[in-house]
Amino acid sequence: MARGETVLRLCLCLCLWLCIGGAAVAEESILGPRLVQEDVRIPAANGRYTLAATILRPEGQGPFGAVVLNHGTPGSASGRARESADLLIQSAAVFARRGYVVVLPLRRGFGATGGEFAEDPGTCANPDYRKGEQAAADDVMAAYEYTRGLPYVDGKRMILAGQSAGGMVSMVTAGTRNPEGLVAVLAFAAGRGGNPDFRPGVPCAIEPVAKLLESVGKNVRVPVLLHYAENDLYFNGQTSRLWYERFAAAGARAEYVLQPAFGRDGHYIFSETLGVRYWLPAVEHFLSKHGVPFERLDAGQPIVSVEHVPHVHSDACRNLYRAFLESPAPRAYAVSGDGRCGFASGLPDAADIAVRECRTSAKEACSLYAVGGEVVWMPDGKGTAYAGGAAGK
């Protein structure tokens, strides 16, 4: 991507919710459809243990489709103990704004669930990924069946999704358990065995993972999206493409997307706020192709329409506007007469920064298009140039 097409601004605010009496609601209505958040315990293995989980859903009775969103696996025990739904809550909100109940379970050995780490594959020299994945799939299925039983969930419109090891177990669960009501699998940076500190991009035991994917690919009955970034320091493009090819050759209806490099490590493109500008269009295209509804609940509101943004014709700036729509306030988006753009979020001076960032690549004046949840653009040809001042919400 050429420099100047877009300007990125990291979002510093990741929390969109205020806790109120055990539940949570969207902090501000400008962030889109009102969302409700709650923490639950999910019984598993006939009640022998429970899984800590977070539910994020649109306000209302539904019935809504549902996504069981699965986390990755930190390499250390201390990292697993710190695992939390907060790490994927921004991504969960993208689905919730499109009419999905998102359940984020913590598997055994992680975060508030605690207990013994059940999915250890053993040594890199001789890993037993099948055993580890089956243990992980047990927990995913417990969360899946719990989700299907919620009164506001449409049990015929279920999606399994996950990042890294969470993407891997989503595919394994689909291929070994044949979950009722499943319509799609979304696997982001999926795999096992990565260690960027030891061998960046090249995981251990590539072939055992490929064989496992071959095995489960024979039995996956729904479309699967495998989504990666070029600079994934856990699984490089050569490895992820090999895994996809072996998975698809076994019979899986799989699609592979390798996005441009993202940040310092593209492995986190799904969990970081600005990564939405890459993965969201890919998911929209994939689900639309397979007839799975995925439109924002507030799609009729002017601010949500990317097509209304003036002067912007590049996919880069269109996708940056998508990131703006999914980002927390204070937030702002600016455009120039020659089609450049700027964006800022989670900052008190978001409007100033958005315009300043737009100016770094624009040859014509930059103007604010949207601030918070309002379109502030004045249709006077090139728009009203912004002279500075406090950012609105």
Side-chain angles (χ1 to χ4, degrees), residues 131-290:
K131 178 181 178 182
E133 293 300 327
Q134 290 299 335
D138 287 342
D139 292 351
V140 171
M141 278 305 300
Y144 187 93
E145 293 300 338
Y146 172 88
T147 303
R148 289 192 77 238
L150 292 172
Y152 43 77
V153 165
D154 177 0
K156 297 180 181 179
R157 188 155 53 96
M158 302 286 296
I159 295 174
L160 283 170
Q163 180 187 38
S164 191
M168 185 73 178
V169 71
S170 296
M171 292 189 288
V172 171
T173 301
T176 60
R177 308 302 173 89
N178 189 25
E180 186 176 354
L182 186 66
V183 296
V185 176
L186 305 174
F188 301 96
R192 289 279 191 176
N195 189 334
D197 296 327
F198 179 60
R199 291 195 302 178
V202 182
C204 73
I206 294 174
E207 183 59 22
V209 172
K211 288 182 177 179
L212 177 59
L213 288 174
E214 278 183 334
S215 175
V216 301
K218 299 174 182 178
N219 300 308
V220 174
R221 300 181 182 180
V222 299
V224 181
L225 175 66
L226 289 87
H227 185 283
Y228 297 87
E230 288 180 347
N231 64 328
D232 190 315
L233 298 185
Y234 285 73
F235 316 121
N236 62 23
Q238 181 179 357
T239 298
S240 62
R241 182 172 289 277
L242 169 67
W243 286 343
Y244 155 72
E245 290 175 348
R246 298 280 285 274
F247 185 58
R253 287 189 288 155
E255 298 180 25
Y256 175 81
V257 174
L258 185 65
Q259 298 281 186
F262 174 79
R264 294 183 178 180
D265 184 355
H267 191 68
Y268 300 102
I269 190 172
F270 178 68
S271 58
E272 293 191 15
T273 302
L274 281 180
V276 73
R277 64 193 292 263
Y278 292 113
W279 67 259
L280 179 56
V283 169
E284 287 176 329
H285 175 76
F286 173 78
L287 293 179
S288 174
K289 176 179 177 180
H290 295 287

Side-chain angles (χ1 to χ4, degrees), residues 29-33 97-98 295-305:
S29 61
I30 63 170
L31 297 179
R97 294 187 191 108
R98 286 160 176 78
E295 187 177 55
R296 280 183 64 123
L297 295 175
D298 58 349
Q301 297 184 12
I303 193 173
V304 178
S305 176

Side-chain angles (χ1 to χ4, degrees), residues 73-74 80 107-110 114-121 192:
T73 302
R80 294 192 292 272
R107 303 187 298 277
R108 282 169 288 171
F110 295 90
E116 183 180 355
F117 179 45
E119 53 200 70
D120 187 351
R192 289 279 191 176

Side-chain angles (χ1 to χ4, degrees), residues 47-59:
R48 291 198 298 273
Y49 61 91
T50 62
L51 305 172
T54 296
I55 300 175
L56 185 67
R57 62 181 177 87
E59 190 175 50

Side-chain angles (χ1 to χ4, degrees), residues 38 40 65 175 219 229 240 263 273 288 324 358 362 384 388:
E38 60 181 316
V40 298
N219 300 308
S240 62
T273 302
S288 174
F324 161 79
C358 176
T384 302

